[in-house]
Amino acid sequence: MTYTLTGIARYEELIKKSRFLALAAPVQTAAEAMAFFAEHQVPDATHNCWAYRIGQEYRFNDDGEPGGTAGRPMLQAIEGQQCDQVAVLVIRWFGGIKLGSGGLVRAYGGVAAQCLRLADKVEIVEETLLKCSCPFSDVALLQSRFAAQGVRIAEESFDGEGANWLLAVPQERAAEVAALIIDLTRGQARCSVQQPSQRGPSPCPPP
């Protein structure tokens, strides 16, 4: 299982007089991650180090710390906490005592890991997208059943005949949901499977 966050998480720790503040957030794209870093970095801090992972895409930045002592340990913390679609920023105010390479790795990785460990998480669930259309007469009936089936409307439009939806459905239930829609509309609705996606549907405890 992999997890993302329900919102921004925060953790602060003092390590040999240096103050470390970790901020973590759920992100869907690299642009969202970079916007999060830009919004929350502290220009007058000694270092603003960051890392993010979104599926197979990842990046990290040491922001002036010795190479491999900040961003990479933070990325490893994201992976170690079984997280994905997550960005982590660790801000350091130098307190006058050098930590050494090993100390920096432990500090940045540890602060990031603790921030994620304490954060509220949701499990990322594989979804399938169903492209569906149904008559106006069945719209309210179908919408009343979506929540119980774990279905969300990703896109919605209307034409002269009824509603056109792109529905995000838990992957293992796609065939069942499509059959239910056809049954409830007495064969009037049309459904076809699109590509899979991911999301986190419900709160669950950290791993």
Side-chain angles (χ1 to χ4, degrees):
M1 294 182 181
T2 55
Y3 302 83
T4 188
L5 308 186
T6 61
I8 295 178
R10 175 188 177 103
Y11 175 75
E12 187 170 338
E13 187 174 341
L14 193 65
I15 301 174
K16 292 187 177 180
K17 296 187 178 182
S18 280
R19 177 187 170 200
F20 290 83
L21 171 61
L23 299 170
V27 291
Q28 293 290 324
T29 65
E32 282 186 27
M34 299 310 295
F36 171 73
F37 300 142
E39 180 180 354
H40 292 90
Q41 67 181 346
V42 179
D44 63 356
T46 315
H47 303 281
N48 289 271
C49 305
W50 52 260
Y52 71 78
R53 174 174 284 284
I54 304 167
Q56 298 303 309
E57 182 179 2
Y58 63 88
R59 282 184 62 193
F60 54 85
N61 189 299
D62 294 317
D63 191 36
E65 294 283 28
T69 63
R72 183 174 290 279
M74 292 164 59
L75 177 63
Q76 292 170 340
I78 294 173
E79 296 167 345
Q81 291 299 308
Q82 296 175 272
C83 289
D84 193 3
Q85 301 174 17
V86 166
V88 180
L89 171 69
V90 175
I91 305 163
R92 180 193 183 192
W93 289 266
F94 180 57
I97 299 176
K98 292 185 177 181
L99 302 182
S101 295
L104 289 172
V105 169
R106 289 189 294 272
Y108 280 100
V111 170
Q114 186 68 354
C115 182
L116 294 171
R117 191 175 293 118
L118 297 174
D120 291 329
K121 301 184 183 72
V122 291
E123 182 185 346
I124 297 174
V125 173
E126 293 289 339
E127 290 181 328
T128 292
L129 297 176
L130 295 179
K131 185 177 182 181
C132 295
S133 60
C134 77
F136 283 114
S137 58
D138 294 313
V139 168
L141 173 63
L142 291 179
Q143 287 180 328
S144 71
R145 300 294 185 93
F146 284 167
Q149 299 297 322
V151 176
R152 63 186 177 89
I153 300 175
E155 294 179 13
E156 181 179 57
S157 63
F158 297 91
D159 56 26
E161 297 182 0
N164 298 293
W165 289 317
L166 192 61
L167 304 177
V169 182
Q171 193 169 19
E172 70 277 7
R173 301 187 64 189
E176 177 187 345
V177 170
L180 178 64
I181 290 172
I182 298 299
D183 183 57
L184 289 174
T185 61
R186 303 164 306 283
Q188 298 300 303
R190 297 186 302 276
C191 286
S192 60
V193 176
Q194 306 296 297
Q195 76 277 14
S197 61
Q198 289 185 329
R199 69 160 175 150
S202 58
C204 61

